Amino acid sequence: MKKVFLMLFLAAGASVAMAQSQKVISGVSSFKATLPEFSYDGKAQIFTTEKSDQGTVQKITFYSNDFTKQGELTINQEEYEYNYKSEERAWVDGKYTGDWQVVNEGKDKHYSDIISLDLEDFDQSCNDFRQIYISQTIFNSDDKYEYLMPVISIVNDSFEEDRDGDGVIDFRGSGTTAKMTGIKVVSESGEVLQTINFPNGFTSSSSKGFDLMKINNKLYLRIGGYANDSNAVLICSIGTAESGSGDKTRGDVNGDGVVNAADVVKVVDIISGN
């Protein structure tokens, strides 16, 4: 009987201890953490992300090891407006030969979003795909946070189509579209530290994937995209994996704040399907 009572007492004590360590954090569904190897003090920093109504990350909130809120980082989003218009000929006697008429027209907005990187550590012979939203020592060597954002350009776009095959254009569209023409390294204060312009002929989008590769203790950005209508990757050399070099922008060879293809960038074509 004494043994049963002692077990019940210990169990009750454990439940009290657990209750004392419980904490409810409202508005949070999941936690993320910085990678220790790319943190200034070598320790992981717990954080959460908050998304806007458009689905883009607008705020990062930092927490201590006991999940006490420590601070916030506001993501420097940009808004872009684009328009579109499509027209077709009226259907007459089994063909599109009538007068032109507008079938769709309007304006919309595009919002830039933070670029997350998947880590591919070839030095450890593994693709662990740990996501990197923010870091302290990938792009420079101080204790401030940096993140990647797309460089967006609004370009004119148009197309035509002969839908009934009579040799006469019967459908056409025009407008503007948001196109990713590079990426930029942004500091926690919102300052653009570095811009990586894509070479002519190379295009990308967030759906193509962005990786941080570690190979022989060197770091590279891998940006998926297209070149000359074929799958391709853009490889950007950043520098060594060690922090403490003091470089403000590791990949910037001539110090002008812009990484050009002539500096450290090369395009590697990938066979379609790989």
Side-chain angles (χ1 to χ4, degrees):
M1 183 67 182
K2 290 183 178 180
K3 184 176 181 181
V4 172
F5 178 78
L6 178 61
M7 292 177 65
L8 290 173
F9 177 79
L10 291 174
S15 66
V16 170
M18 182 177 291
Q20 290 175 340
S21 65
Q22 290 177 339
K23 180 177 292 186
V24 176
I25 304 176
S26 301
V28 173
S29 60
S30 62
F31 289 93
K32 300 176 177 62
T34 60
L35 301 191
E37 56 263 52
F38 302 121
S39 298
Y40 187 76
D41 59 1
K43 298 179 181 179
Q45 172 69 61
I46 304 169
F47 67 91
T48 60
T49 58
E50 179 181 312
K51 293 191 175 183
S52 65
D53 294 338
Q54 293 75 34
T56 56
V57 177
Q58 64 180 2
K59 185 172 68 174
I60 289 176
T61 303
F62 297 102
Y63 293 87
S64 63
N65 290 345
D66 64 353
F67 295 96
T68 299
K69 183 177 176 180
Q70 288 187 316
E72 296 178 346
L73 189 162
T74 300
I75 302 300
N76 190 28
Q77 293 176 311
E78 295 183 64
E79 177 185 293
Y80 305 89
E81 186 175 273
Y82 61 93
N83 58 74
Y84 52 89
K85 180 180 180 180
S86 58
E87 301 172 282
E88 68 178 9
R89 292 185 183 275
W91 182 262
V92 178
D93 297 330
K95 287 188 175 183
Y96 293 102
T97 56
D99 296 333
W100 285 99
Q101 53 192 7
V102 176
V103 294
N104 193 16
E105 185 176 18
K107 293 183 178 181
D108 210 338
K109 293 180 179 180
H110 175 90
Y111 298 88
S112 61
D113 196 10
I114 191 170
I115 296 173
S116 64
L117 300 172
D118 288 327
L119 176 63
E120 293 191 80
D121 192 343
F122 291 99
D123 290 349
Q124 300 295 326
S125 300
C126 66
N127 297 346
D128 53 17
F129 294 107
R130 288 179 289 167
Q131 278 193 317
I132 302 171
Y133 283 83
I134 52 177
S135 73
Q136 292 172 300
T137 63
I138 291 179
F139 300 101
N140 57 28
S141 304
D142 58 27
D143 61 348
K144 307 301 181 183
Y145 286 102
E146 291 83 38
Y147 57 93
L148 289 177
M149 295 292 285
V151 175
I152 303 295
S153 298
I154 301 298
V155 298
N156 294 322
D157 191 19
S158 63
F159 61 93
E160 296 180 337
E161 184 180 354
D162 175 16
R163 292 180 297 176
D164 53 16
D166 64 353
V168 177
I169 298 299
D170 47 47
F171 187 85
R172 62 192 181 193
S174 62
T176 55
T177 184
K179 180 180 179 181
M180 186 187 299
T181 58
I183 57 177
K184 55 189 176 184
V185 181
V186 185
S187 73
E188 62 179 43
S189 64
E191 177 189 2
V192 177
L193 300 181
Q194 185 177 11
T195 301
I196 300 174
N197 295 318
F198 293 161
N200 290 334
F202 182 84
T203 59
S204 182
S205 66
S206 57
S207 63
K208 294 299 293 181
F210 295 81
D211 299 330
L212 178 69
M213 302 190 301
K214 183 181 177 184
I215 306 172
N216 295 324
N217 209 37
K218 292 184 178 181
L219 298 177
Y220 302 87
L221 285 179
R222 175 204 171 277
I223 303 171
Y226 300 96
N228 301 320
D229 298 324
S230 297
N231 287 331
V233 294
L234 182 66
I235 305 297
C236 304
S237 175
I238 300 175
T240 60
E242 291 92 351
S243 61
S245 64
D247 296 335
K248 184 179 181 182
T249 52
R250 293 186 181 186
D252 182 12
V253 172
N254 58 18
D256 63 357
V258 177
V259 174
N260 299 303
D263 290 335
V264 293
V265 176
K266 62 179 180 179
V267 176
V268 181
D269 288 331
I270 301 298
I271 302 299
S272 180
N274 288 351

